């Protein structure tokens, strides 16, 4: 490399160089000497975060100018220490060792005690450290951008170090160096952008000077401008080469790292590059990486892809350049709206909203419809995002003829938009979820939804000539939307099921709430009587309209002089209750009276009089009808029964919200119920509503007694009435009518709960005489009702399992809560209970269907489905349920091999099919325990079992496969994965050599019988006394420090399993003298499969190396083969998407760069990470 020490760009002011300051000021031997921070390393200063990053960088630059080797050594140790490594690079190591040797040395000195390192540590200090770490790199490049970064020493050393560390097997090194390299790349992109701007300015100045007439042209200035442009071009070439080195040396390999956080860092930063310097990076050669990674298995990485794309689509100019990318990956983005990670789904919808804004033609009708239905999602952020998409799609486009329409009223623009909302609501066919739709649109369309004036006009005003009137169904939907909007405005919180509860409103929100409530009252106090008059006989509309008054500010009736409208409302309510017998409408009338009868407001007397008159009429009518209905010697006709029922329903509905004690309705209702028992011909609806009314009577009586407002004998009277009524309900439990029995059972359960011993709590000991404990006969009757009416066979074709599943819809919440409580008491015993219940069902199935189990039968599928549901109850935290799940598998395995085959030797054990059911719980095992369970399973297997492939042995095969699945899961271990370059070189690695470093305790796992029982983690062994049994195991498992094939090496190989299987002797399992033979055969098979796999990988790698193309497409293979830690997408999918695509090279090509020159004199280990992965590299596992 040609030496260019001290080279500066034209006009360089030595920014950040500390001109005029003493060289090395503030630092002695790379340590700070200011602000009392003597002998502190650069890492410690950045970690403290007390010093301004600018001053820290300025001090380092001064030290670099004084002695660049010492300053660089300080910077190298900074990156090493930021990785959590306790070691340090000495000056001798820096002078005499290659980067690969330094990294290997640091790997050996890495602290093994903890898997944490600064970037993963929790706490506010470490969160600030990450920010300070990134800021330091950005400021360092910014301050050095005019001279030092071009000296071909500092940047070459840093990039070489970071590239080598990013290829390390130690996760901390790889993560920290990747973050540093990506931030370094971002800083260089900013430098390149500034250079491009300066080159453009210089070019314009040159052109302007050259275009002058000869007499006025300054040749000296032209020469200076040419020289400046040349130097800027050379600097740009330098920056371009640096970025290429980072991109190809770090990004191309780490964007598919085994660790999700590393992949996320890469994708986040490439999004920044494309946004900052779109001319260079916003093309398909770089967009393809984001497109590929949208298929990542980790939600946080997919999330970074979406946020990166959002940054591009926010700009219409940039969005227009994404047309080809969008066409290729649109389907994937649309599918991500249903992502299992809610955050990813939210951002996917937001991204599609931006896509919709950039172009209306990209998304098809099917794409939009898949997003529309998300407005009904129970997860509010997703619903709100979908609501914004819906609003942009349906409501944001205005036709030219709509511009001159009035703002309010039937003919306004809002009138048209409200109709569109109604049409969408009806077409979605989810009419009961109007509140969800309104809540989804509230943030973006609240002004439209608060236009109640237009809604009232659409309902009351006659349509104009040529205007199509709303249908009855559309008017019903509009009334519901109007009510939901009123509720949302007044309550200011999401509907039930969407949100965690009420939140504290800000002062501004409270003022808006009060203003909206005032507007609602002023509008609907006038309009509501008119709406009720128009729709008086329509049950749905009236029910919704009658809920509006509970949101009124009742003071406005007086302050606004609206009493006449109040009278009109009361008259309409009377009309509604008179014309309707529907319980829902009657309860709405009762609720409205309750809302208006508030003693705090002056309208109370007016409303109370109207209510009393109405109730007097109802009670008088009921008593009169009841006398005629119960008159002896006469047969009541249907008309009399209807009159009694309708009046009783109205009284019962009003008694729910109003105290009717002064009318003494208990005697009438008790007489009615008693007559029904004696005669046995009372209509069921009359009995049901009489029970309900009597129930309300007792509850109101209890309320008066509890608050102390009752008379002396009221408690005795209440006790008599309650007990008499309970006895009456008990007698009705034996009725032949199921509806009557169900009503009696429900009321009895309520009364027994209310009048239990808890009634005396909170200082109400005076209520002790009211405590009611059911006697044995009542308990027996209640139990018989449950057995006869609840837990019954609902389908003759179903067995007990199907029956159990059929109860899940009705009683699933109770079942899950019961399981949760038992698990809190004892997790292991709960798991044992679950597997025991499955075993009981399995035995019942065998007794019914015989020994030859057909796993396709409904009985077997039912047990398997029940096992799946049981598995879901264990939740996502596998560590909490670790022991319970392991014990469940242990019991299940023992049950499967417990009984020999009735068909003799060579046939599968009787219960072997149970392993298929047990496999539903395999996903709940953590990786270490899967191996332990697999080893325990092999103790019960013979040589013949291991080699069987017939259908009858499929449960064993599938269960073993389920225990071996999940090997590619992400891990949080310090050591993880094999780099691509390590992978390709590992095929040529030498035989294992001894390590200079002592293996950590637990890495060498012996398989001798003496050591197999000595683990301190043998939880199962501690639980019960065990007897040694010959075991069938894999070949001795040694954790080598030699680089191994990536297909064989797993990060968890160094873990000690949490559960060591007991070696107890089972009476049903004979000793296996051929255990060694089985082990040898399985080992040989596994080794053969591993060799075949390695050969396939080698062939694939060679094939890819022979077909590398410089002209890479949007979804084309990289220059490096994809023999990497993580593969995001299948190759078939990549080839399909890549078909017909042909774009520029992936080399970073800055637009202003013309005279490109290659760096041919770089040290071999600077930008070639593979050079550090030589055959002697030792890979260490850290616990």
């Amino acid at each position: 490399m040609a030496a260019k020490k001290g080279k500066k760009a034209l006009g360089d002011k030595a920014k950040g160089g500390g001109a005029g300051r003493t060289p090395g000021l503030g630092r002695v031997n790379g340590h700070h000497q200011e602000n009392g921070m003597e002998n502190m390393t650069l890492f410690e200063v950045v970690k403290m975060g007390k010093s301004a990053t600018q001053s820290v960088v300025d001090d380092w630059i001064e030290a670099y100018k004084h002695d660049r080797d010492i300053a660089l050594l300080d910077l190298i140790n900074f990156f090493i220490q930021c990785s959590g490594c306790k070691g340090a690079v000495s000056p001798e190591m820096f002078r005499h060792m290659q980067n690969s040797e330094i990294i290997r040395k640091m790997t050996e000195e890495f602290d093994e005690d903890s898997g944490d390192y600064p970037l993963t540590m929790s706490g506010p200090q470490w969160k600030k450290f990450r920010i300070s770490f990134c800021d330091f790199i950005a400021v360092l490049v910014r301050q050095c951008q005019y001279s030092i970064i071009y000296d071909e020493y500092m940047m070459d050393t840093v990039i070489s170090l970071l590239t080598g560390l990013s290829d390390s097997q130690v996760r901390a090194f790889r993560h920290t160096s990747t973050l540093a390299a990506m931030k370094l790349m971002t800083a260089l992109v900013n430098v390149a952008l500034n250079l491009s701007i300066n080159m453009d300015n210089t070019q314009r100045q040159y052109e302007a000077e050259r275009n002058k007439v000869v007499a006025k042209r300054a040749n000296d200035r032209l020469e200076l401008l040419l020289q400046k442009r040349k130097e800027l071009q050379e600097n740009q070439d330098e920056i371009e080469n640096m970025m290429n080195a980072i991109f190809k040396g770090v990004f191309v390999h780490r964007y598919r790292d085994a660790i999700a956080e590393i992949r996320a860092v890469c994708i986040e930063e490439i999004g920044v590059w494309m946004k900052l310097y779109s001319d260079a990076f916003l093309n398909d050669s770089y967009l393809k990486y984001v497109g590929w990674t949208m298929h990542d298995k980790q939600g946080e990485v997919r999330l970074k892809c979406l946020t990166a794309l959002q940054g591009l689509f926010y700009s219409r100019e940039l969005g227009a350049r994404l047309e080809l990318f969008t066409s290729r990956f649109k389907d994937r983005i649309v599918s991500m709206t249903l992502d299992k990670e809610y955050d990813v789904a939210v951002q996917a919808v937001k991204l599609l909203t931006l896509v919709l804004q950039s172009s209306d033609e990209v998304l098809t009708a099917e794409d939009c419809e898949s997003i529309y239905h998300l407005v009904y999602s129970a997860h509010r952020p997703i619903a709100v995002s979908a609501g914004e998409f819906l609003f942009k799609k349906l409501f944001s486009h205005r036709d030219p003829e709509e511009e001159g329409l009035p703002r309010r009223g039937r003919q306004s623009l809002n009138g048209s938009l409200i109709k569109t909302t109604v049409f969408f609501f009806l077409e979605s066919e989810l009419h009961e979820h109007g509140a969800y739709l309104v809540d989804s649109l509230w943030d973006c369309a609240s002004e439209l939804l608060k236009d109640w004036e237009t809604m009232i006009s659409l309902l009351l005003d006659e349509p104009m000539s040529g205007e199509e009137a709303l249908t009855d169904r559309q008017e019903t939907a509009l009334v519901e939307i109007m009510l939901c909007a009123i509720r949302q405005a007044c309550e200011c919180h999401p509907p039930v099921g969407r949100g965690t509860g009420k939140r504290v409103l800000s002062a501004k929100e409270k003022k808006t709430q009060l203003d909206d409530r005032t507007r609602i009252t002023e509008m609907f106090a006038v309009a509501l009587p008119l709406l009720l008059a128009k729709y008086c006989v329509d049950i749905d509309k009236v029910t919704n309209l009658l809920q509006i008054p509970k949101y009124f500010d009742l003071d406005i009736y007086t302050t606004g002089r609206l009493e006449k409208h109040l009278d009109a409302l009361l008259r309409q309510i009377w009309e509604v209750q008179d014309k309707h017998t529907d319980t829902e409408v009657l309860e709405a009338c009762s609720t409205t009276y309750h809302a208006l009868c508030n003693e705090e407001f002056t309208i109370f007397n007016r409303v109370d009089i109207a209510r009393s008159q109405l109730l007097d009429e109802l009670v008088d009518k009921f008593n009169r009808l009841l006398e005629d209905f119960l008159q002896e010697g006469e047969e009541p006709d249907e008309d009399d029964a209807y009159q009694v029922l309708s009046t009783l329903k109205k009284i019962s509905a009003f008694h729910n919200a109003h105290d009717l004690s002064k009318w003494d309705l208990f005697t009438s209702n008790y007489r009615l119920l008693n007559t029904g028992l004696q005669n046995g011909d009372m209509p069921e609806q009359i009995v049901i509503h009489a029970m309900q009314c009597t129930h309300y009577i007792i509850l109101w009586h209890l309320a008066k007694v509890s608050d102390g407002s009752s008379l002396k004998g009221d408690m005795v009277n209440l006790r008599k009435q309650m007990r008499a009524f309970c006895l009456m309900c008990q007698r009705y439990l034996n009725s032949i009518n199921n509806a009557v029995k169900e009503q009696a059972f429900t009321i009895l359960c309520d009364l027994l709960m209310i009048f239990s011993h808890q009634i005396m709590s909170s200082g109400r000991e005076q209520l002790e005489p009211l405590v009611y404990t059911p006697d044995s006969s009542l308990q027996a009757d209640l139990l018989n009702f449950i057995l006869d009416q609840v837990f019954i066979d609902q389908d003759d074709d179903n067995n007990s399992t199907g029956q159990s599943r059929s109860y899940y819809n009705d009683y699933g919440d109770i079942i899950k809560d019961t399981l949760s409580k038992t698990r809190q008491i004892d997790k292991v015993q709960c798991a044992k209970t679950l597997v025991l219940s499955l075993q009981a069902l399995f035995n019942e199935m065998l007794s019914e269907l015989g020994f030859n189990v057909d796993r396709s039968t409904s009985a077997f599928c039912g047990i398997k489905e029940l096992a799946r549901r049981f598995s879901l109850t264990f939740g996502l935290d596998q560590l909490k349920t670790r022991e319970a799940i392991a014990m469940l598998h242990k019991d299940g395995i023992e049950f499967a091999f417990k009984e020999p085959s009735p068909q003799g030797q060579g046939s599968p054990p009787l219960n072997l099919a149970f392993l298929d059911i047990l496999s539903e719980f395999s996903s709940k095992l953590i990786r270490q325990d899967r191996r332990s369970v697999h080893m325990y399973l092999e103790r019960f297997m013979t040589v013949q079992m291991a080699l069987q492939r017939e259908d009858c042995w499929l449960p064993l095969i599938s269960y073993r496969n389920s225990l071996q699945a999940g090997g590619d899961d992400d891990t949080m271990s310090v050591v993880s994965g094999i780099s691509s370059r390590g992978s390709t070189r590992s095929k040529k690695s030498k035989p294992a050599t001894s390590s200079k470093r002592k293996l950590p305790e637990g890495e060498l796992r012996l398989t001798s019988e003496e050591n197999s029982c000595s683990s301190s983690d043998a939880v199962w062994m501690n639980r019960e006394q065990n007897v040694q049994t010959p075991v069938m195991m894999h070949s001795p498992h040694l954790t080598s420090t030699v680089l191994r094939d990536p297909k064989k090496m797993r990060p968890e190989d160094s873990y000690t399993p949490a559960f060591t299987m007991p070696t107890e002797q089972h009476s049903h399992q004979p000793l296996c003298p051929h255990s060694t033979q089985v082990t040898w055969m399985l080992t040989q098979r596994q080794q053969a499969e591993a060799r075949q796999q390695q050969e396939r990988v080698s062939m694939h790698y060679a094939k890819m190396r022979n077909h590398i193309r410089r002209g890479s497409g949007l979804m084309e293979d990289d220059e490096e083969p994809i023999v990497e830690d993580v593969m995001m997408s299948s190759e078939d999918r990549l080839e399909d998407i890549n078909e017909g695509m042909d774009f520029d090279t992936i080399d970073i090509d800055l637009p202003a760069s013309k005279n490109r020159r290659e760096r041919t004199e770089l040290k071999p280990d600077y930008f070639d990470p593979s050079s550090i992965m030589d055959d002697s590299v030792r890979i260490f596992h850290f616990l």
Side-chain angles (χ1 to χ4, degrees), residues 831 834-835 874 883-893 918 921:
L834 293 183
V835 74
F874 283 96
E883 184 181 357
I885 290 293
M887 290 299 296
L888 185 147
H889 279 274
K890 172 182 174 292
D891 289 357
I893 292 172
L918 193 61
F921 298 92

Side-chain angles (χ1 to χ4, degrees), residues 365-599:
E366 291 77 12
D367 296 332
C368 295
E369 288 174 3
S370 66
I371 304 171
Y372 291 160
H373 78 275
L374 294 177
V375 297
Y376 297 104
S377 171
H379 189 261
R380 191 170 192 272
I382 293 178
V384 170
S385 301
E388 183 180 357
F389 179 90
L390 175 66
F391 183 78
K392 299 286 186 186
K393 179 66 177 177
L394 299 184
F395 303 144
S396 298
H397 303 289
R398 300 186 179 182
D399 297 330
E401 61 270 13
E402 294 178 338
E403 294 297 332
L405 295 177
R407 188 165 175 233
R408 304 274 182 187
R410 187 183 189 95
Q411 299 301 315
S412 67
L413 175 61
N414 276 358
S416 175
L417 296 180
I418 290 172
K419 288 182 181 179
T420 303
T421 307
V422 170
F423 299 155
F424 172 80
F425 180 50
L426 292 174
E427 289 176 3
S428 64
E429 297 182 355
L430 292 168
H431 313 305
E432 69 275 17
H433 294 95
Y436 275 34
L437 174 61
V438 169
D439 181 56
S440 301
L441 293 171
W442 194 256
D443 290 354
C444 58
S446 58
E447 183 180 355
L448 172 66
L449 295 171
K450 289 181 182 180
D451 190 359
W452 297 296
E453 179 182 348
T454 300
M455 296 182 188
I456 293 171
S457 177
L458 287 170
L459 291 170
L460 292 179
D461 296 348
E462 292 297 326
M464 303 291 291
S465 59
E467 179 187 0
E468 186 176 352
L470 294 176
T471 64
D472 178 71
R473 187 162 170 259
Q474 291 167 351
E475 287 178 335
T476 302
L478 177 55
V479 170
E480 182 176 353
I481 292 174
M482 182 173 67
L483 172 64
C484 294
I486 292 171
R487 182 190 297 117
Q488 188 88 5
C490 294
E491 295 182 351
C492 294
H493 65 79
V496 176
R498 183 185 282 179
T500 56
K502 295 184 179 179
R503 59 185 180 87
V504 179
L505 301 180
S506 64
K508 183 179 179 180
E509 289 173 329
K510 288 180 179 178
K511 183 179 183 304
T512 302
Q513 182 186 33
L514 292 175
D515 292 344
D516 289 340
R517 194 174 182 188
T518 300
R519 283 186 57 235
I520 290 168
T521 307
E522 291 174 346
M523 284 186 188
F524 286 94
V526 178
L528 186 57
L530 301 176
L531 291 169
L532 287 173
K534 180 175 181 180
Y535 301 112
C536 184
V537 297
D538 191 306
I539 293 176
D540 294 331
K541 296 185 183 70
V542 166
T543 302
N544 284 327
L545 289 171
L546 284 173
Q547 296 184 51
I548 295 177
K550 66 182 179 181
Y551 302 107
F552 282 179
D553 181 359
L554 299 180
D555 266 337
I556 294 178
Y557 271 115
T558 304
T559 59
R561 298 184 179 182
L562 301 175
E563 288 88 351
K564 65 177 182 179
H565 297 291
L566 176 61
D567 293 337
L569 175 61
L570 294 174
R571 286 196 299 270
Q572 290 302 322
I573 297 175
W574 192 94
E575 289 288 340
V576 169
Q577 68 82 28
D578 186 56
K579 294 181 178 179
H580 287 274
T581 58
D582 185 81
T583 302
E584 194 174 3
V585 176
L586 295 174
E587 288 182 350
C589 292
S590 174
T591 304
T592 304
Y593 270 117
H594 183 266
L596 296 175
C597 286
N598 193 325
E599 297 181 2

Side-chain angles (χ1 to χ4, degrees), residues 902-1020:
Q903 299 176 1
Q905 190 174 4
S907 299
L910 179 64
N911 300 333
L912 188 70
F914 189 77
L915 292 179
D916 199 10
I917 298 169
L918 193 61
S919 64
E920 295 292 337
F921 298 92
S922 296
S923 61
K924 298 300 179 182
L925 285 166
I926 64 174
R927 186 177 299 150
Q928 300 95 299
D929 295 345
R930 290 191 184 196
R931 287 198 299 271
S932 300
V933 172
H934 188 267
M935 291 168 58
Y936 189 68
L937 172 67
E938 291 180 339
R939 299 184 181 201
F940 295 85
M941 296 171 55
T942 62
V943 179
Q944 291 78 12
M945 290 182 185
L947 301 177
Q948 293 293 342
R949 290 295 181 267
E950 288 82 2
D951 288 348
C952 58
W953 294 95
L954 285 179
L956 176 60
I957 297 172
S958 63
Y959 182 58
R960 291 183 66 192
N961 291 339
S962 71
L963 295 177
Q964 296 170 348
D968 294 331
D969 292 345
D970 201 353
T971 176
M972 290 298 293
S973 61
V974 177
V975 182
S976 56
I978 283 281
S979 70
S980 62
R981 287 140 285 179
S983 299
T984 58
R985 298 186 64 85
S986 65
K987 303 178 186 65
K988 305 175 184 178
S989 60
K990 298 177 181 179
T993 58
S994 60
S995 172
K996 298 178 182 178
R997 174 177 153 275
K998 183 181 178 181
L999 282 174
E1001 182 181 355
E1003 287 195 358
L1004 183 63
R1005 292 169 52 196
L1006 303 178
T1007 57
S1008 64
E1009 294 182 357
E1010 293 85 352
N1011 289 286
S1012 63
C1013 299
S1014 62
S1015 172
S1016 61
D1017 296 322
V1019 179
W1020 292 0

Side-chain angles (χ1 to χ4, degrees), residues 622-809:
F622 175 68
N623 289 330
R624 186 176 63 254
L625 291 170
L626 189 62
E627 288 297 329
D628 295 339
F629 185 71
L630 299 179
Q631 190 172 3
E632 297 182 5
E634 292 189 11
E635 186 77 18
D637 57 17
E638 293 184 1
D639 185 60
D640 293 339
Y642 175 80
Q643 291 293 329
V644 171
L645 175 60
S646 61
T647 308
L648 184 59
K649 288 174 70 173
K650 293 175 183 179
I651 292 176
S652 181
F654 275 90
H655 212 339
N656 187 14
H658 306 271
D659 184 8
L660 308 185
S661 300
K662 64 179 181 180
W663 281 278
D664 188 23
L665 292 168
F666 180 83
T667 304
S668 302
N669 281 279
Y670 189 82
R671 180 185 171 194
L672 187 62
L673 291 172
N674 192 42
T675 304
L677 277 175
Q678 293 175 354
N679 299 337
D681 57 353
M682 187 70 67
E684 69 172 47
Q685 288 300 314
I686 292 180
V687 174
I688 289 173
H689 284 89
M691 285 184 183
Q692 190 66 56
C693 187
T694 308
H695 181 54
Y696 291 146
I697 293 169
I698 291 175
L699 295 183
W700 277 107
H701 200 167
L702 175 62
K704 293 180 66 176
V705 171
S706 299
D707 61 19
S709 60
S710 61
L711 300 177
K712 185 175 181 180
D714 285 348
M715 184 177 295
V716 177
N717 189 30
L718 173 59
R719 185 173 186 273
K720 291 180 179 179
Q721 290 181 353
M722 181 268 296
R723 291 177 177 267
F725 182 56
C726 287
L727 183 59
M728 181 71 69
C729 291
Q730 181 180 357
R731 295 169 66 188
Y732 269 107
L733 277 178
N734 298 316
S735 171
I736 60 173
N737 190 288
N738 288 334
V740 172
K741 289 195 290 187
E742 184 174 339
Q743 178 76 337
F745 177 82
T746 303
I747 290 176
L748 275 172
C749 290
D750 289 344
L751 290 176
L752 290 174
M753 287 291 295
I754 294 169
F755 289 95
S756 65
H757 288 280
Q758 296 176 355
I759 199 174
M760 297 186 296
S761 61
S762 303
R764 295 181 296 182
E765 290 78 8
Q766 74 276 8
L767 299 180
E768 183 178 3
L770 296 179
V771 174
Y772 181 61
T773 303
D775 56 22
S776 57
S777 64
L778 178 55
Q779 295 179 33
D781 288 341
L782 293 173
L783 179 60
N784 289 332
F785 175 84
I786 293 175
L787 296 177
D788 295 339
Q789 301 297 323
V790 180
F791 294 105
I792 57 174
D793 291 340
Q794 299 180 8
D795 188 347
D796 294 339
D797 295 333
N798 287 351
N799 60 5
S800 56
T801 307
Q803 179 180 329
S804 301
R805 287 188 291 115
S806 67
Y807 303 139
Y808 186 82
N809 292 334

Side-chain angles (χ1 to χ4, degrees), residues 1080-1147:
W1080 179 83
M1081 294 179 64
L1082 291 179
T1083 302
Q1084 293 300 313
R1085 175 180 295 177
Q1086 292 166 357
Q1087 291 177 351
E1089 292 175 353
R1091 285 194 298 271
Q1092 294 173 4
Q1093 177 65 24
Q1094 185 172 350
E1095 291 173 0
R1096 287 195 295 269
V1097 172
S1098 301
M1099 293 174 63
H1100 177 64
Y1101 168 69
K1103 180 181 178 181
M1104 293 181 67
R1105 294 292 289 177
N1106 292 333
H1107 291 84
I1108 290 177
R1109 293 173 292 173
R1110 297 293 295 171
S1112 59
L1114 178 61
M1115 293 297 296
E1116 186 168 57
D1117 298 334
D1118 300 312
E1119 292 185 355
E1120 290 288 333
I1122 306 182
V1123 186
E1124 193 63 76
D1125 304 273
V1126 176
M1127 182 60 188
M1128 299 307 153
S1129 310
S1130 67
E1131 294 173 24
D1132 293 339
R1133 183 188 302 149
L1134 300 187
E1135 292 174 0
D1136 293 340
I1137 300 179
N1138 188 41
E1139 184 179 355
M1141 305 294 291
D1142 189 17
F1143 298 102
D1144 296 335
T1145 174
I1146 65 169
D1147 283 339

